């Protein structure tokens, strides 16, 4: 990886920002896709971090055994198929022929087993699978067998929708608590580590030995046919600069344009604004349950009467309120598991006086609250400003600590006290797809194995197990209602509103695949 210092030294030697990347001839420019992502990353490991931007990177570099279509039905991807015993306890998977890693190594069942084990240390479905697996072994290079202690009907969904990326065995042996140091995959793009400048740019090249499936692309399923030789991500912290670059044809695609600039983009010639994500995003306040003061559930509950989801959504969307869906609880609005259970916490009148009273009754002693805010993420920065104001309003001693998104991703992984480099809370967004079911990574109560914030809630964990064992949709919905009631009681995090995110691109681009992440296969010029 290049460094900022190296890049700046090159600039001082007379290089312009445009020449920081290798020169591209006019004839070759049509084969390059120039993309402005929603954020930068500092450690692009999709197991070590659940950041949406890292998942977008991972879909380019790695592949998955299965993929789900737009109806969330799993379809084979790296696998040619599978067999299941009549009792549902033994699964045998067979890999497609000809799968290769970017370093030329053959993709083997041994790589798959190691990758599932690493993924299963963090992902909630993966944790469930690992807990049920009595045996997971490679039968030969092309086949693996998973023997379960009890049936796991959601096996294929877990492998197809939960970002179970397959890495070489040597990489997958890295503990999930540590970020990987190399980025070799078998996906449709190679990651050019030698051209990566954290916070500035990332570069991907088409992997010419990738074998796409023959089916048409459909969400995360189907053939991943790449039509560009090179994809260049340009990190653009200033939204106005990104829009100007798109209007001038200097970039081809902006992942998440600032909502305030969407009307201007819709009026611009040569630019299309569309919604490719059918599930949207949910804003939240993540709270650290390990350290005071948010280790106290009474204080976490005390915040709820002052939370106004309309205020948060207005801060993010401006006058583009049509993209919002309110109210939202702990499951994606409009999804089968969503309900009104406990929603009076958000739909009743907002009451700052009650919140101040509850703060006092919770025994809050004036401890400093470190609120991390990413300066290069307009939506999260806007939410953080609202959070800061509301916390002040109800008597919390809050400090707004601004940093770039990559630094926040690193710091949120620290379990140390805030005074030693840890944190108390931050605003972020959840994928609507991920939050649609009770296996959501964020809705856990298993302590240090839980998502960032590390809540401990045995009742929530028991209910989650009940959901896995529910016999039909009606039973699942009943369990989900109880889970939401428990979440409003223990407050693992606070939902702030749901919205759809438009994307903007030059009109000479076609073939986009609808998904919760930007996907770079199918897209073509002309």
């Amino acid at each position: 990886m290049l460094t900022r210092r190296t890049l700046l030294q090159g600039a001082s030697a007379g290089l312009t920002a445009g020449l920081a990347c290798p020169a591209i001839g006019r004839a070759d420019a049509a084969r390059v896709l120039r993309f402005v992502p929603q954020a930068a990353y500092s450690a692009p490991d999709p197991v070590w971090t659940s950041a949406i931007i890292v998942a977008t990177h991972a879909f380019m570099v790695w592949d998955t055994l299965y993929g789900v279509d737009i109806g969330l039905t799993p379809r084979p991807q790296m696998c040619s198929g599978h067999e299941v015993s009549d009792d549902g306890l033994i699964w045998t998977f067979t890999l497609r022929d000809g799968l290769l890693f970017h370093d030329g190594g053959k993709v083997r069942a041994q790589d798959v087993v190691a990758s599932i084990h690493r993924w299963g240390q963090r992902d909630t479905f993966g944790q469930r699978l690992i807990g049920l697996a009595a045996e997971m072994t490679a039968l030969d290079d092309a086949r693996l067998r998973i023997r379960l202690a009890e049936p796991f009907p959601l096996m294929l969904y877990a492998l197809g929708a939960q970002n179970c990326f397959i890495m070489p065995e040597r990489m997958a042996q890295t503990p999930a608590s540590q970020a990987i140091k190399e980025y070799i995959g078998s996906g449709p793009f190679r990651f050019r580590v030698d051209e990566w400048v954290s916070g500035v740019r990332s570069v991907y090249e088409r992997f010419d030995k990738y074998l796409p499936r023959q089916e048409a692309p459909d969400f995360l399923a189907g053939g991943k046919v790449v039509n560009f030789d090179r994809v260049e991500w340009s990190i653009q912290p200033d939204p106005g600069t990104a829009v100007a670059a798109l209007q001038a044809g200097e970039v081809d695609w902006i992942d998440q344009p600032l909502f305030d600039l969407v009307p201007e983009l819709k009026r611009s010639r040569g630019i299309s604004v569309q919604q490719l994500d059918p599930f949207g995003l949910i804003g939240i306040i993540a709270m650290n349950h390990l350290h005071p003061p948010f280790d106290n559930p009474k204080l976490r509950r005390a915040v709820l009467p002052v939370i106004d989801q309309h205020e948060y959504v207005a801060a993010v969307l401006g006058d583009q309120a049509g993209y919002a869906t309110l109210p939202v609880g702990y499951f994606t609005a409009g999804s089968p598991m969503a309900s009104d259970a406990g929603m009076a916490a958000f739909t009743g009148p907002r009451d700052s006086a009650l919140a101040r009273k509850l703060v006092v009754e919770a025994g809050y002693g004036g401890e400093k609250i470190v609120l991390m805010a990413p300066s290069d993420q307009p939506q999260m920065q806007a939410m953080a400003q609202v959070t800061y104001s509301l916390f002040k309003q109800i008597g919390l001693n809050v400090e707004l600590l601004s940093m770039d998104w990559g630094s926040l991703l690193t710091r949120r992984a620290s379990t140390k006290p805030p005074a030693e480099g840890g944190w108390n809370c931050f605003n972020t967004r959840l994928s609507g797809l991920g939050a649609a079911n009770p296996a959501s990574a964020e809705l856990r109560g298993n302590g240090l194995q839980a998502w960032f914030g590390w809540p401990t809630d045995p009742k929530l964990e028991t209910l989650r197990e009940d959901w896995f064992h529910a016999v039909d949709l009606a039973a699942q919905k009943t369990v989900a209602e109880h889970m939401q009631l428990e979440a409003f009681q223990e407050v693992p995090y606070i939902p702030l509103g749901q919205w759809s995110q438009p994307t903007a691109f030059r009109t000479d681009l076609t073939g986009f695949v609808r998904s919760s992440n930007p996907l770079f296969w199918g897209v073509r010029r002309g």
Side-chain angles (χ1 to χ4, degrees):
M1 181 184 74
L2 296 176
T3 64
R4 287 178 178 272
R5 181 180 299 275
T6 303
L7 190 68
L8 292 173
Q9 286 173 343
S12 66
L15 294 173
T16 66
L19 293 178
C21 294
I24 300 171
R26 184 182 301 272
D28 296 330
R31 302 290 298 173
V32 177
L33 181 64
R34 301 158 300 176
F35 176 71
V36 179
Q38 51 101 348
Y41 48 68
S42 57
D45 178 348
V47 174
W48 183 79
T49 179
S50 60
I52 294 173
I53 188 62
V54 174
T56 300
H57 154 88
F59 279 115
M60 301 179 76
V61 178
W62 291 283
D63 213 344
T64 57
L65 298 176
Y66 285 76
V68 292
D69 61 22
I70 196 69
L72 302 185
T73 299
R75 298 184 185 178
Q77 188 54 243
M78 295 177 73
C79 283
S80 60
H82 64 274
E83 297 177 355
V84 190
S85 61
D86 291 342
D87 59 8
L89 296 180
I90 299 176
W91 293 71
T92 304
F93 298 91
T94 302
L95 296 174
R96 289 195 287 140
D97 292 334
L99 299 181
L100 295 175
F101 287 115
H102 300 156
D103 60 2
K106 180 181 177 181
V107 178
R108 307 165 304 140
Q110 293 88 336
D111 303 302
V112 174
V113 170
S115 296
I116 291 175
H117 274 293
R118 184 169 190 262
W119 162 77
Q121 294 176 51
R122 286 292 184 93
D123 182 82
T124 55
F125 275 94
Q127 290 170 348
R128 173 72 175 173
L129 172 56
I130 296 300
L132 293 177
E135 176 192 34
M136 190 182 309
T137 185
L139 301 177
D140 51 41
D141 282 357
R143 296 179 304 145
L144 65 141
R145 181 178 63 210
I146 300 177
R147 183 167 57 86
L148 303 173
E150 64 180 68
F152 183 39
L154 294 172
M155 171 77 80
L156 299 184
Y157 181 87
L159 298 177
Q162 293 298 116
N163 298 353
C164 182
F165 297 108
I166 305 305
M167 303 177 176
E169 184 180 21
R170 66 180 185 278
M171 290 169 53
Q173 289 173 342
T174 305
S177 59
Q178 301 175 18
I180 55 176
K181 302 301 182 184
E182 58 176 325
Y183 306 97
I184 302 298
S186 66
F189 290 92
R190 297 176 184 264
F191 180 41
R192 288 294 303 269
V193 179
D194 58 326
E195 296 190 49
W196 171 35
V197 184
S198 182
V200 178
R201 70 162 184 264
S202 299
V203 176
Y204 305 84
E205 288 184 346
R206 183 174 64 87
F207 180 40
D208 57 3
K209 292 183 174 59
Y210 181 76
L211 298 176
R213 298 190 67 89
Q214 297 304 305
E215 303 92 339
D218 184 350
F219 203 61
L220 301 179
K224 300 177 181 180
V225 177
V226 173
N227 299 304
F228 290 93
D229 294 332
R230 183 177 170 97
V231 177
E232 298 174 354
W233 288 19
S234 174
I235 311 304
Q236 199 49 265
D238 179 62
T241 302
V243 165
L246 183 65
Q247 292 171 323
E250 296 169 358
V251 299
D252 300 303
W253 183 5
I254 299 177
D255 179 13
Q256 296 184 6
L258 189 69
F259 276 98
D260 288 345
L261 299 177
V262 166
E264 177 185 344
L265 285 169
K266 287 182 175 180
R267 294 191 298 266
S268 299
R269 291 189 59 185
I271 294 175
S272 178
V273 178
Q274 294 187 20
Q275 290 174 239
L276 299 178
D277 180 1
F279 298 99
L281 299 165
I282 298 173
I284 69 166
I285 304 174
M287 295 172 155
N288 193 328
H289 294 233
L290 299 182
H291 304 293
F294 290 132
D295 61 338
N296 180 355
K298 291 183 178 180
L299 185 62
R300 298 195 299 270
R301 287 195 296 273
V303 175
L304 295 179
V306 80
I307 296 296
D308 185 344
Q309 292 192 343
H310 291 87
E311 184 177 1
Y312 276 98
V313 166
V316 172
L317 304 188
D319 60 2
Q320 301 297 299
Y323 288 101
T325 301
L326 294 174
V328 63
Y330 283 90
F331 302 106
T332 306
S335 71
M337 298 302 117
S339 74
D340 293 331
M343 288 296 288
F346 290 144
T347 58
R350 302 297 82 198
D351 193 336
S352 57
L354 173 60
R356 286 194 296 271
K357 177 176 178 290
L358 292 175
V359 165
V360 173
E361 292 178 355
Y364 174 62
E367 299 94 337
K368 181 187 290 186
I369 294 172
V370 175
L371 167 61
M372 299 190 296
S375 57
D376 55 348
Q377 291 292 291
Q379 293 186 10
M380 287 178 252
Q381 179 68 225
M383 288 190 287
Q385 294 293 339
V386 176
T387 299
Y388 177 80
S389 176
L390 292 180
F391 280 10
K392 284 284 190 182
Q393 183 179 332
I394 62 175
L396 300 182
N397 177 20
V398 59
E399 175 189 359
L400 188 69
L401 187 60
S402 187
M403 63 189 72
D404 62 66
W405 181 233
S407 298
L408 191 151
L409 291 179
T410 300
R411 185 160 178 169
R412 76 174 183 175
S414 173
T415 58
K416 293 181 179 179
E420 299 176 19
W423 55 277
N424 292 113
C425 57
F426 64 92
N427 287 98
T428 189
R429 303 167 305 176
L430 306 183
S431 161
L433 173 61
N437 67 69
S440 164
E442 295 77 20
L443 195 59
R444 293 298 304 272
N446 55 338
L448 290 175
Q449 288 187 295
W451 189 71
F452 305 102
W454 308 284
T456 296
D457 185 348
K459 182 176 179 180
L460 189 61
E461 288 295 291
T462 298
L463 287 167
R464 177 176 174 273
E465 288 296 310
D466 292 344
W467 184 82
F468 275 116
H469 288 99
V471 296
D472 55 27
L473 180 61
Q476 287 183 332
K477 288 173 67 69
T478 297
V479 175
E481 290 178 4
H482 290 300
M483 290 185 73
Q484 181 154 288
L485 289 171
E486 175 64 13
F488 275 118
Q489 182 68 21
E490 292 298 315
V491 195
Y493 61 87
I494 300 178
L496 303 176
Q498 180 176 321
W499 58 88
S500 300
Q501 175 64 55
T503 193
F505 50 86
R506 302 292 302 181
T507 53
D508 64 342
L509 295 181
T510 59
F512 289 89
V513 179
R514 295 194 70 196
S515 176
S516 296
N517 298 83
L519 300 179
F520 295 87
W521 52 84
V523 184
R524 58 188 178 275
R525 200 182 301 278

